[in-house]
Amino acid sequence: MRTIIGRLALLAMVLVGVSGCSQAPGPRPSSPSRSSADVLAALKAIPGVEDAQITGGPVGLPGQVEYGAGLALATDYHNDVAALLDYILGQLWSQSATKPTTTITVSIQLGTGSSARILELGDAGSALGLTNVGTRTFAVSPAQMKQHFGAWPGKVPTLPATLDSGSPATSATPAP
């Protein structure tokens, strides 16, 4: 009887020890740790960006996490908006601090203050093969992000040459 109790106690300790190994996975160890501050610095460094913000955190029920960015561009911004959207989404997906589980959102406006105009990003997203699931901002599901950029956290993107200030004008139009 004592041997059975001893074996059960040993089995229980082994199971408790092993259960610690099966916790929810964090960031992939092969990816460098990347904070929201790192992403924000990369977004603010884009030519033509006057201001940028990172948003994110729990929304709704427990386990629902949204992550996003809002950018204000110079009123005469003329670079490729699809490339800009792709770069912003890649930056958001590359951070390892907040795993988005509901949506990844992007909002871009031309100018600041009362004269600012929101850019409609639907066409730019479509050009990337992404479907907008948002209403006021361009919003992408984590499943689409995984399909487009790979598993979270993704690789840190490099700034495309098309976002250089000398790029040709884009066909993006401000939202009405």
Side-chain angles (χ1 to χ4, degrees):
M1 182 69 146
R2 251 184 163 173
T3 350
I4 293 174
I5 293 174
R7 287 183 184 173
L8 288 174
L10 179 61
L11 179 61
M13 287 190 294
V14 169
L15 289 175
V16 167
V18 172
S19 70
C21 297
S22 65
Q23 294 176 355
R28 293 177 295 162
S30 61
S31 296
S33 178
R34 201 145 188 269
S35 70
S36 292
D38 296 330
V39 172
L40 184 60
L43 296 179
K44 286 185 173 185
I46 299 169
V49 171
E50 292 185 347
D51 196 15
Q53 299 179 16
I54 298 292
T55 60
V59 292
L61 299 172
Q64 292 183 329
V65 179
E66 182 178 277
Y67 195 69
L71 276 71
L73 305 176
T75 54
D76 63 345
Y77 187 83
H78 61 275
N79 293 331
D80 184 351
V81 174
L84 177 62
L85 178 61
D86 193 48
Y87 180 72
I88 295 167
L89 289 169
Q91 284 290 334
L92 293 171
W93 196 243
S94 71
Q95 59 76 36
S96 57
T98 304
K99 183 175 184 178
T101 60
T102 57
T103 54
I104 297 80
T105 61
V106 175
S107 177
I108 301 176
Q109 66 184 30
L110 291 175
T112 57
S114 61
S115 64
R117 296 174 24 187
I118 303 295
L119 278 183
E120 170 56 53
L121 299 173
D123 290 342
S126 292
L128 300 172
L130 300 171
T131 304
N132 182 13
V133 296
T135 53
R136 295 179 302 173
T137 62
F138 188 82
V140 183
S141 71
Q144 283 191 79
M145 292 292 284
K146 183 177 180 182
Q147 185 177 17
H148 191 72
F149 294 107
W152 178 85
K155 293 179 184 176
V156 178
T158 56
L159 186 68
T162 57
L163 297 184
D164 183 333
S165 60
S167 297
T170 182
S171 61
T173 56

